[in-house]
Amino acid sequence: MNFPALLIEQLRRAQNLVALTGAGISAESGLSTFRDAQTGLWSKFRPEELATAEAFERDPKFVQDWYAWRRENALEAQPNAGHLALAEMEKRAPELLLVTQNVDGLHVRAGSKRMVELHGNIHRFRCFESDCPSDNFDIENGRCRSCGGHLRPDVVWFGEMLPTDALETAITAAENCDVFFSIGTSSVVYPAADLWRRAKDNGATVIEINKDPTPLTPLADYSFLGKAGEILPALVDQIWIHQTKRAN
Ligand code: OAD
């Protein structure tokens, strides 16, 4: 795969990079995206029945079971070449912040360390009733031992705020980076979908890697249509690994 010479130059010179990922990066690990027409989770399930506090209040068991199913799928999945390429990029590029909308934990399992999870993590739990300490949870029965309330997954549901620290870190990094990657995300869910614009308004080069066109595609500086698990390893190899080999 050949990348434009100007892009290679920009990446080699970049000091601060941000990579935003979405469900598409985990698709090659066998996990469903949300909005793909035939296979996306939101083509089979109604978000208002599964991903809102009101849905949980109505039927906690139903929601808990759905997240337990997704948690199992995530645990059975393995990080793919795209996740691994981003972990490799972190080791070789000067400063990379990985910002993910994914809750599956695959980036951490691939070795990424400098990252923020904007939408939480499906492997963690919270007490639904109040702010009870997490070391007193009966995970198996989905109950908080401190107050007897139900446990919910520690993910962001529709209508909820994103974790403040994670969002602030992501915004600051986007506004101060030289290069912003948008990878495997449909770029329609805010505030994540706005991060590339903050980067571009501050002079960054915006690169999209996605299987299908998105609202970002015509506005990005570079858009690569294809699988993240194929494009990212080729890019990391050409920009950083190949360069190191040449220097040695
Ligand atoms: P979407 O399902 O909206 O978008 C996934 C994108 O990945 C689509 O544009 C696909 O074309 C693309 N894609 C699929 N396979 C790919 C591959 N192998 N390589 C590259 N791209 C691929 O998922 P998100 O953008 O992550 O929120 O959705 C954002 C948020 O909406 C999610 O975090 C979730 C959902 O509601 C919450 O749960 C809060």
Side-chain angles (χ1 to χ4, degrees):
M1 184 174 281
N2 279 326
F3 298 98
L6 180 61
L7 169 65
I8 294 178
E9 193 51 37
Q10 284 171 323
L11 281 170
R12 287 197 176 140
R13 270 193 283 113
Q15 291 300 311
N16 294 287
L17 299 97
V18 171
L20 171 72
T21 61
I25 193 146
S26 295
E28 288 158 79
S29 295
L31 298 182
S32 298
T33 60
F34 292 94
R35 293 178 182 78
D36 279 276
Q38 307 297 326
T39 55
L41 288 172
W42 297 152
S43 72
K44 298 179 191 151
F45 304 98
R46 291 161 58 88
E48 57 273 33
E49 286 173 6
L50 290 158
T52 65
E54 292 75 26
F56 191 82
E57 259 166 5
R58 267 196 310 272
D59 195 343
K61 175 87 172 61
F62 182 64
V63 176
Q64 281 174 337
D65 285 352
W66 190 67
Y67 280 93
W69 167 71
R70 285 185 56 201
R71 195 172 300 118
E72 265 171 45
N73 288 344
L75 286 174
E76 279 166 16
Q78 295 302 321
N80 65 54
H83 298 110
L84 295 170
L86 284 169
E88 191 64 39
M89 201 192 286
E90 181 184 310
K91 284 191 216 145
R92 297 182 184 257
E95 281 291 337
L96 169 73
L97 179 72
L98 177 57
V99 179
T100 189
Q101 298 167 88
N102 298 347
V103 298
D104 55 32
L106 286 177
H107 281 305
V108 171
R109 284 170 57 201
S112 285
K113 292 190 171 57
R114 229 181 138 248
M115 62 173 290
V116 291
E117 293 172 320
L118 283 183
H119 292 166
N121 187 308
I122 202 170
H123 305 292
R124 288 195 310 259
F125 298 86
R126 277 199 276 144
C127 175
F128 184 70
E129 322 302 332
S130 47
D131 207 10
C132 296
S134 59
D135 58 356
N136 202 16
F137 289 169
D138 177 359
I139 307 282
E140 205 173 311
N141 294 304
R143 289 283 183 172
C144 172
R145 287 198 184 93
S146 304
C147 72
H150 287 99
L151 293 184
R152 56 165 286 178
D154 190 6
V155 299
V156 176
W157 281 333
F158 287 96
E160 292 184 330
M161 303 291 284
L162 272 63
T164 311
D165 286 358
L167 183 58
E168 278 174 6
T169 303
I171 288 175
T172 304
E175 288 178 347
N176 290 284
C177 68
D178 316 298
V179 174
F180 185 96
F181 288 95
S182 176
I183 304 161
T185 174
S186 55
S187 289
V188 295
V189 175
Y190 288 79
D194 199 30
L195 289 172
W196 72 265
R197 195 178 290 281
R198 289 175 182 269
K200 192 155 176 87
D201 286 350
N202 285 282
T205 300
V206 175
I207 304 167
E208 185 184 50
I209 298 173
N210 214 66
K211 192 168 66 67
D212 305 298
T214 74
L216 166 59
T217 309
L219 304 165
D221 294 293
Y222 300 94
S223 172
F224 298 100
L225 286 184
K227 293 183 175 176
E230 292 171 3
I231 296 170
L232 271 172
L235 188 75
V236 171
D237 188 57
Q238 232 179 90
I239 310 293
W240 289 285
I241 300 182
H242 195 64
Q243 189 188 35
T244 316
K245 277 187 204 146
R246 271 196 324 186
N248 285 340

